[in-house]
Amino acid sequence: MKLMVLGAGKSAADVVYEGVKNGKEVHWVIRTTGTGPSFFASARGKGPFKNAFEAAHTRVIASLGPSIFNSENRWTNFLQHSQLGRFLVEQVLAKQDQAIRNEADYHGRDKTKGFDQLEYDTPFFWQNGPGGLIHHDDFWDIISSNVYIHRDQVKSLDKNLARLDGGEELACDALVCGTGWTPSLKFFDNEQLSSLGLPVPLDNEPREVSQLWEKLFHEADREICSRFPMLANPPTHPHQKTGTTTYRLYQGMAPIENSSILFLNHLNTGNKMLAAEAQAIWAVAYFDKQIKLPSKEDMEKSIATWVAFSRRRYLSNGELGNSINFESITYVDALLAEIGLSAHEKEWRKQWFEPFQPSDLGKAWAEYLQKHGHR
């Protein structure tokens, strides 16, 4: 059986791997009009950490990158606002990027099936496209030895045949699209989408509204570039624009003009479960009227800052203004701080070097319920 897999991200990679393991001839097609191949990092842990995910959920690691949610302290100021601090961060990031490329060994393996075409275009720090962790020790050996790689578009499909734009015709018994998904908000009409701060086709937004937000975004972008010089000059990269407006939700959840509804987990983030649970606590506090919200003007500025940061930090991935891929921990800390919760905090050594655990959010829930009389 001949299997074609379309897509560049983790879901496509998993299907490709399982296809080979089950004896299929696999062709992996990555379109040229997207952001290119994904980076795939090892999931193995180092030092005291069981895996890479655990290490990434320490505040010391979370503090390395520029984040609008980082608390201002000597450590983050040193890392982001001094030349020496930025140099050290850039060295750490470059070392990690090189480690990812070295493990894959894109140019040292058999290239007869196109393996070298899997090398990602933009350094992993920028997250211009989807990325993921590799959970199989033999992943790269399996892919390089068995999988045919094509950087091309699928032009047409016929019975047991796929034609690519470049002229290749590939025998194909099954096609799997590992191309992700698009959140559907089609149960709202365009006027409702706009009023709720949700993405709406660009042509459907009133000109005066567009001009207001573009002014806010422009001002916020200048602030982000000044605050985080690392983000001011992104590398050359394949960029994809979106045909809609951005998300315009306070704290990624709350419409400015309607306090009767929240939108949870409409985020691109490295740990959706952690973010969703923290958002749930924030949502309860919001509807309990236990959060002192800023003025409308300050909420607009906060949203504009988030959108500007998302676009600068995550390039194509940040176009919708809702990407905080490496900011899960600092985002959760910011939400809990706004509610006035501190039970999840630990003594300084554990606070900085111990992974953020689900039990920490359990403590935050218990603190909130005790403070506000819930039974």
Side-chain angles (χ1 to χ4, degrees):
M1 178 181 177
K2 296 184 178 181
L3 171 67
M4 176 181 288
V5 180
L6 180 64
K10 181 66 162 62
S11 58
D14 286 342
V15 174
V16 167
Y17 178 85
E18 292 300 327
V20 174
K21 283 290 194 177
N22 284 277
K24 317 304 181 192
E25 179 182 306
V26 180
H27 292 260
W28 191 353
V29 180
I30 299 173
R31 62 193 177 96
T32 54
T33 56
T35 54
S38 300
F39 74 87
F40 297 110
S42 171
R44 290 190 296 272
K46 295 180 180 178
F49 304 111
K50 298 175 184 176
N51 51 58
F53 201 67
E54 194 175 69
H57 280 69
T58 60
R59 286 179 177 81
V60 68
I61 296 298
S63 70
L64 292 180
S67 171
I68 55 175
F69 306 110
N70 268 338
S71 57
E72 294 290 331
N73 55 49
R74 290 181 180 178
W75 174 244
T76 55
N77 286 339
F78 166 70
L79 292 178
Q80 302 303 326
H81 301 308
S82 72
Q83 286 188 332
L84 176 59
R86 291 196 299 274
F87 172 78
L88 293 175
V89 169
E90 287 168 359
Q91 291 301 302
V92 170
L93 295 172
K95 184 177 180 180
Q96 180 59 40
D97 187 78
Q98 193 59 53
I100 294 172
R101 296 177 192 271
N102 289 345
E103 180 153 0
D105 195 11
Y106 296 108
H107 301 284
R109 300 177 188 265
D110 183 3
K111 302 177 184 178
T112 56
K113 297 181 175 66
F115 177 74
D116 57 321
Q117 295 186 74
L118 278 180
E119 185 168 15
Y120 55 96
D121 300 318
T122 311
F124 91 100
F125 166 79
W126 294 93
Q127 287 268 294
N128 187 45
L133 296 180
I134 295 301
H135 297 90
H136 305 287
D137 290 339
D138 62 348
F139 178 83
W140 292 118
D141 292 334
I142 291 292
I143 301 302
S144 62
S145 301
N146 299 280
V147 178
Y148 296 88
I149 311 298
H150 308 268
R151 293 291 302 274
D152 210 336
Q153 314 291 117
V154 176
K155 183 178 182 180
S156 64
L157 296 172
D158 205 342
K159 185 177 181 180
N160 301 107
L161 186 69
R163 297 182 180 88
L164 304 184
D165 274 353
E168 281 189 279
E169 293 187 344
L170 304 176
C172 175
D173 299 306
L175 170 65
V176 176
C177 293
T179 50
W181 65 91
T182 301
S184 177
L185 295 165
K186 293 181 180 178
F187 48 87
F188 294 119
D189 62 34
N190 288 333
E191 184 177 347
Q192 291 170 324
L193 289 171
S194 182
S195 68
L196 292 171
L198 301 172
V200 63
L202 292 171
D203 293 340
N204 290 99
E205 182 169 65
R207 182 175 176 79
E208 61 273 15
V209 176
S210 297
Q211 289 177 336
L212 167 65
W213 281 105
E214 283 307 313
K215 179 176 181 293
L216 290 169
F217 293 154
H218 181 69
E219 292 170 352
D221 184 66
R222 285 190 301 177
E223 178 191 345
I224 291 297
C225 290
S226 173
R227 184 175 169 188
F228 303 117
M230 285 179 63
L231 304 183
N233 297 294
T236 301
H237 61 280
H239 197 88
Q240 285 190 305
K241 286 284 189 180
T242 180
T244 68
T245 61
T246 66
Y247 280 90
R248 296 167 186 168
L249 302 171
Y250 177 67
Q251 295 291 39
M253 291 176 277
I256 295 177
E257 303 289 352
N258 190 325
S259 61
S260 69
I261 189 171
L262 295 175
F263 297 92
L264 305 191
N265 229 7
H266 278 254
L267 301 174
N268 287 330
T269 189
N271 191 333
K272 275 184 169 287
M273 294 183 68
L274 181 70
E277 189 70 12
Q279 284 188 334
I281 302 175
W282 195 91
V284 170
Y286 180 85
F287 288 123
D288 277 350
K289 309 296 184 185
Q290 296 299 332
I291 298 176
K292 182 176 175 55
L293 294 172
S295 66
K296 177 182 176 182
E297 182 181 38
D298 286 342
M299 289 173 77
E300 288 175 342
K301 289 180 179 179
S302 174
I303 292 168
T305 297
W306 193 336
V307 171
F309 174 77
S310 176
R311 287 174 165 177
R312 280 280 173 183
R313 177 68 179 82
Y314 296 109
L315 310 179
S316 299
N317 261 353
E319 277 289 308
L320 283 175
N322 66 334
S323 288
I324 51 170
N325 296 355
F326 286 133
E327 286 76 41
S328 299
I329 302 300
T330 53
Y331 173 61
V332 168
D333 282 342
L335 290 184
L336 298 182
E338 189 169 30
I339 308 169
L341 302 181
S342 60
H344 62 293
E345 298 176 358
K346 309 167 188 177
E347 58 90 12
W348 78 268
R349 188 179 299 276
K350 290 183 178 179
Q351 177 77 352
W352 280 92
F353 298 101
E354 195 174 82
F356 199 114
Q357 304 282 359
S359 59
D360 298 325
L361 280 179
K363 294 172 186 174
W365 268 118
E367 181 186 12
Y368 179 81
L369 297 175
Q370 183 180 20
K371 272 187 173 183
H372 300 293
H374 289 263
R375 295 290 184 267

